[in-house]
Amino acid sequence: MENELLGSRTRREFIGVGAAALALAALGPGGSRLSAATAGGGAGFMRFEEGKYVLPDLPYAASALEPAIDARTMEIHHGKHHAGYTNNLNAALGKLEQPAGETLERLLGRVSRLDASVRDGVRNNGGGYYNHCLFWETMGPGAGGEPKDRLGEAIKVSFGSFAAFREQMSAAAATRFGSGWAWLYVGGDGKLYVSSTPNQDNPLMRGLVEGLGTPILGLDVWEHAYYLNYQNRRADYVAAWWSLVNWTRVGELYAAAKY
Ligand code: MN3
């Protein structure tokens, strides 16, 4: 990012920005992460370092989600699939002119208007990178249950009840033909909605998907997410996934969502 930000600036300004970066770094690890989180994405669950997106570590051990999701599936899903999206996103961004500091959310918001030579690369790999970062972040061991506080209330307002929301989200996951995702997202009116998208699309992609907004919970229903353990039984995987949802984290993302 540094080169991108500083590319057109004079040496004098470079020194100025360098001093600001040092001042941020002096705040400690939280401070020095600030610039990376800002460029990587407003939600802060992505990692952007030295001009490249970085595969984030899983926030728990690969075996921590067993028995709902087995360790081998997690290792391959994170270490191979998500790593692949990360590398391919960086390769795609190498062919793209971007405004300095543009977040991935903003880039995905205008992906439909990108030149055809780069559009699919950013759509598939930018989506794949973002979606999986959100996916790991919103699961955890000893989670599940129902959200409380503001998010719990918002779900009741938008869907009538948590049970009704759960049914709608499970149906979106079950009826997605082939590979894709089911989403809970904050729409432009501030209400919560459920949708599903094919492949690595998501509700940020204006002009490409129905149901635009800020995703706060995503469920991966690609076969690579469950096939080793569940084979063709997607519904069983979806039912088990509910026991993993980290509602505390989803609530934070809801509170931070811009719409
Ligand atoms: Mn996946």
Side-chain angles (χ1 to χ4, degrees):
M1 181 188 70
E2 202 160 284
N3 286 340
E4 218 169 288
L5 271 177
L6 302 178
S8 63
R9 290 185 182 161
T10 64
R11 166 118 187 113
R12 188 191 186 90
E13 283 169 313
F14 179 94
I15 292 165
V17 172
L22 280 176
L24 272 178
L27 295 173
S32 61
R33 274 187 63 214
L34 188 62
S35 59
T38 302
F45 47 72
M46 290 169 275
R47 281 180 62 195
F48 188 81
E49 291 168 12
E50 296 177 354
K52 288 197 182 308
Y53 286 93
V54 177
L55 179 69
D57 293 333
L58 287 174
Y60 32 73
S63 60
L65 305 184
E66 291 188 342
I69 303 180
D70 62 283
R72 185 77 180 125
T73 295
M74 289 296 290
E75 284 162 5
I76 297 170
H77 199 175
H78 174 260
K80 304 291 183 190
H81 292 274
H82 196 186
Y85 296 123
T86 308
N87 293 337
N88 292 335
L89 170 61
N90 287 320
L93 293 183
K95 302 177 203 157
L96 191 70
E97 289 282 327
Q98 270 189 282
E102 181 179 49
T103 64
L104 188 57
E105 284 99 324
R106 281 205 196 148
L107 175 61
L108 295 178
R110 66 182 181 93
V111 70
S112 69
R113 292 181 280 122
L114 293 179
D115 186 82
S117 63
V118 293
R119 189 171 50 225
D120 286 351
V122 174
R123 178 182 187 174
N124 295 333
N125 298 295
Y129 179 77
Y130 175 95
N131 297 348
H132 289 86
C133 289
L134 177 65
F135 187 53
W136 313 133
E137 186 92 359
T138 50
M139 295 190 289
E146 294 186 23
K148 296 182 174 62
D149 304 328
R150 222 182 123 226
L151 175 61
E153 281 307 308
I155 285 177
K156 285 196 184 84
V157 168
S158 297
F159 300 98
S161 66
F162 179 79
F165 153 68
R166 181 177 158 138
E167 198 173 315
Q168 210 173 309
M169 182 95 177
S170 296
T175 57
R176 164 52 46 199
F177 182 77
S179 300
W181 291 74
W183 300 103
L184 173 66
Y185 68 94
V186 187
D189 57 3
K191 287 191 181 165
L192 293 168
Y193 296 90
V194 162
S195 70
S196 93
T197 55
N199 305 315
Q200 296 297 349
D201 289 357
N202 69 40
L204 296 169
M205 296 180 179
R206 182 174 297 277
L208 296 177
V209 298
E210 286 193 24
L212 277 182
T214 304
I216 58 173
L217 178 64
L219 168 53
D220 188 343
V221 294
W222 284 57
E223 284 186 344
H224 67 226
Y226 62 88
Y227 206 84
L228 288 183
N229 196 23
Y230 295 93
Q231 292 82 49
N232 63 328
R233 291 174 286 116
R234 184 191 285 186
D236 291 353
Y237 157 71
V238 170
W241 169 81
W242 285 104
S243 70
L244 302 174
V245 178
N246 179 348
W247 287 113
T248 304
R249 189 68 184 111
V250 180
E252 289 168 4
L253 296 173
Y254 174 61
K258 305 273 194 302
Y259 50 83

